[in-house]
Amino acid sequence: MSSVTAVVLAAGKGTRMKSALPKVMHTLAGRPMIHWVVRAVLEAGAERVVVVVGHGRDKVEAYLKGAFGERVETVVQEEQRGTGHAAQVALPAVSRGLDEDSVVLVTAGDTPCLRGADLRALVDAMGDPTRAMAMLVATLPDATGYGRILRRDADVVGVKEHVDCSAEERAIREFNPAVYAFRLGYLQKNLPGLQPNNAQGELYLTDLVARANGAVADRPVDPATVEGINDRAQLSALEARILHGLARRHQLAGVTVRDPRAVEIHDGVEIGEDTVIERGVVLRGATRVGRGCTIDVGCVLTNVVVEDGVTMKPYSVATDSRVGPKAQIGPFTHLRPASDIGESAHVGNFVEVKKTSLGRGSKANHLAYLGDGVVGEDVNVGAGTIFCNYDGFKKHVTTLDDGSFIGSDTQLIAPVRVGKGAYVATGTTITRDVPDGALAIGRTAQQNKEGYADRLRARLKSQKK
Ligand code: UD1
Ligand code: CA
């Protein structure tokens, strides 16, 4: 079989997005629009993808390079003179090393719900070597805005843009989703001759349909899969559809997703069987949740590895961190980057952890700040403990060895170490290392002055007048 190359047209500005960001870089379920389209053409078997870029091209190029590497290359369309012109600009890169029988898929960069299987059907339709082109078609009750499909007898003989249509033609419900397969030789022969004879004065790729003299294979598809995005209302509508599909995939794979409309599980997130995802949960980036976990209401996890059997109670937020097996987090815990919570450890409400590891079975259950720390196993960190890690210039490490006990309202002025099994009395400010097994106590002795409270009150009251 001859090889398949794909062209994705993505040079347009996307004026209706009203954005400094190029349209195709707006994200759906955590991936830019262009990602979804490139993935679909790769799924359809394209060996090489040429993306036509223009507006905001630096951002688009950088993204594509990072996400797809060598398989995707870009060509620049300096001035956007229409879809036919964009295809002309791509032609030299597409032609490189290919013979004229090769199949070229062409699609727009703003139709993220496109399915690889539908593109594949176009490639298959080109199996007949005499075929010049194949295209998807779809039908809507009202196809306003789209190019309409013109047929003679059963054959597709042309596409007419909405603005160029007569009132009669505008009643046509069958439209052009702008997804095509072309024989390379057909593009090479016909693209150079395109003329801007239309209402917009542009070079229309769609003019190639009329030139094929009825030798066009058309494949009907679900209009929902070829819907384009022009504004942010359409962006959110299609994102909701993609998110719903992703949530459903997890459900069918054994995850309880309480309400698929009320969660945001981004593309690429992995979740194990028998895990429960409650309402309002957002899972982003390279997040991986194990089996048998509960991620309770309102938790937001970005690039977090959660091992099996973890409970994350409501409204906990974690980023770039790891939570070990059977650990319990929250409610209202904040795990900032590079936190590593050990097996069966507990981190409770209003505890902020940053770049700190907590060993197996250790606990910090209430109101604490653990920054730049190394906490061993079975350590108890009392309420109100603060790792004073920052002197205004540098960050310093607090080390709590295995089995140590940190009483409530302790400040540890880093760099400092509390030894194995050591005990820090409540209310102590630790400025020096505590040896293994020692008790550190650093608080002023209490005095009780009998009757002073009443005397004090009387004096203050008399001063108030
Ligand atoms: C195009 C089709 C129309 C079809 C519709 C489906 C033409 C003439 N019309 O219209 O029949 O129903 O798509 O959505 O092809 N682009 C470039 N360079 C350009 C112009 C466009 O790269 O000079 C890119 C855009 O970034 C976009 C895609 O091509 O991703 C489609 O362009 P757009 O202007 O949106 O075409 P439509 O008017 O929607
Ligand atoms: Ca469009």
Side-chain angles (χ1 to χ4, degrees):
M1 214 195 85
S2 60
S3 68
V4 177
T5 299
V7 177
V8 179
L9 309 181
K13 183 167 184 211
T15 312
R16 281 168 286 176
M17 296 299 281
K18 306 201 166 129
S19 176
L21 195 65
K23 175 162 88 173
V24 294
M25 286 305 292
H26 284 261
T27 62
L28 303 95
R31 309 255 194 232
M33 216 180 283
I34 189 78
H35 184 106
W36 294 96
V37 178
V38 169
R39 191 200 285 184
V41 298
L42 290 172
E43 266 170 35
E47 282 117 70
R48 214 151 53 84
V49 184
V50 177
V51 180
V52 182
V53 295
H55 280 278
R57 70 190 202 222
D58 294 348
K59 284 189 179 119
V60 183
E61 281 173 346
Y63 176 77
L64 290 171
K65 203 169 168 50
F68 298 103
E70 300 288 288
R71 283 184 301 174
V72 177
E73 62 190 275
T74 53
V75 296
V76 179
Q77 184 191 24
E78 294 287 356
E79 207 188 325
Q80 282 73 51
R81 293 168 50 206
T83 51
H85 179 248
Q88 283 176 353
V89 168
L91 196 56
V94 172
S95 302
R96 195 172 0 99
L98 296 185
D99 62 53
E100 57 179 28
D101 294 333
S102 302
V103 173
V104 183
L105 284 169
V106 180
T107 182
D110 61 357
T111 48
C113 294
L114 201 58
R115 285 196 302 227
D118 290 331
L119 284 158
R120 188 70 222 172
L122 288 185
V123 174
D124 293 343
M126 297 298 286
D128 170 357
T130 64
R131 184 80 73 200
M133 67 173 286
M135 62 189 289
L136 299 184
V137 295
T139 302
L140 280 173
D142 176 3
T144 296
Y146 287 110
R148 304 302 207 284
I149 303 292
L150 307 179
R151 287 182 183 267
R152 194 179 319 116
D153 303 323
D155 295 335
V156 174
V157 293
V159 170
K160 210 160 186 186
E161 292 310 296
H162 183 87
V163 283
D164 299 310
C165 280
S166 66
E168 240 163 80
E169 288 163 332
R170 285 183 183 177
I172 298 174
R173 303 184 320 150
E174 195 180 22
F175 69 94
N176 168 34
V179 183
Y180 324 87
F182 293 100
R183 194 72 61 198
L184 176 58
Y186 182 72
L187 287 178
Q188 289 166 331
K189 183 152 165 269
N190 291 288
L191 275 181
L194 290 178
Q195 295 295 323
N197 300 326
N198 52 63
Q200 303 183 89
E202 290 185 350
L203 300 181
Y204 282 175
L205 182 60
T206 43
D207 284 357
L208 295 194
V209 179
R211 291 181 185 221
N213 294 319
V216 180
D218 59 285
R219 294 284 177 271
V221 289
D222 178 353
T225 63
V226 288
E227 230 173 278
I229 292 178
N230 294 312
D231 57 40
R232 298 191 204 218
Q234 291 166 326
L235 178 72
S236 82
L238 290 202
E239 181 176 41
R241 200 180 295 156
I242 289 175
L243 287 172
H244 198 270
L246 289 167
R248 189 180 153 75
R249 274 227 305 268
H250 289 291
Q251 289 176 317
L252 298 181
V255 178
T256 295
V257 179
R258 188 74 61 198
D259 181 353
R261 284 169 304 275
V263 298
E264 214 183 301
I265 304 171
H266 283 183
D267 184 52
V269 167
E270 295 171 30
I271 311 174
E273 278 175 30
D274 282 327
T275 283
V276 179
I277 307 293
E278 293 290 355
R279 286 184 177 75
V281 167
V282 180
L283 304 178
R284 299 184 180 130
T287 293
R288 225 172 63 218
V289 180
R291 293 166 173 256
C293 298
T294 296
I295 311 298
D296 215 328
V297 175
C299 287
V300 180
L301 276 55
T302 307
N303 302 321
V304 177
V305 173
V306 177
E307 308 282 5
D308 296 348
V310 166
T311 300
M312 291 199 70
K313 294 176 195 168
Y315 303 108
S316 295
V317 176
T319 306
D320 299 322
S321 291
R322 176 188 166 271
V323 179
K326 298 196 277 270
Q328 291 199 29
I329 308 294
F332 301 105
T333 297
H334 188 188
L335 302 181
R336 289 171 52 206
S339 297
D340 188 330
I341 311 304
E343 185 171 345
S344 303
H346 292 187
V347 184
N349 39 202
F350 310 112
V351 176
E352 175 181 344
V353 182
K354 189 223 59 170
K355 203 177 172 191
T356 291
S357 60
L358 228 68
R360 181 203 304 255
S362 287
K363 292 180 181 145
N365 271 331
H366 337 263
L367 298 155
Y369 174 59
L370 316 183
D372 300 286
V374 179
V375 177
E377 297 185 359
D378 297 314
V379 172
N380 197 308
V381 177
T385 295
I386 294 174
F387 290 6
C388 307
N389 60 330
Y390 188 46
D391 57 16
F393 297 93
K394 269 177 151 171
K395 303 285 165 70
H396 302 282
V397 175
T398 298
T399 306
L400 307 180
D401 285 339
D402 294 352
S404 55
F405 182 97
I406 311 301
S408 298
D409 195 24
T410 295
Q411 301 105 57
L412 295 127
I413 314 230
V416 78
R417 167 188 294 270
V418 175
K420 252 189 188 165
Y423 197 104
V424 175
T426 290
T428 297
T429 300
I430 294 291
T431 53
R432 285 182 292 127
D433 288 359
V434 181
D436 291 356
L439 165 71
I441 178 161
R443 55 191 187 215
T444 44
Q446 180 175 330
Q447 297 176 49
N448 288 339
K449 301 193 173 178
E450 296 287 343
Y452 259 54
D454 292 341
R455 280 163 53 193
L456 182 66
R457 235 179 251 119
R459 196 177 80 222
L460 294 175
K461 195 174 172 194
S462 72
Q463 283 171 355
K464 202 178 166 193
K465 286 173 204 142

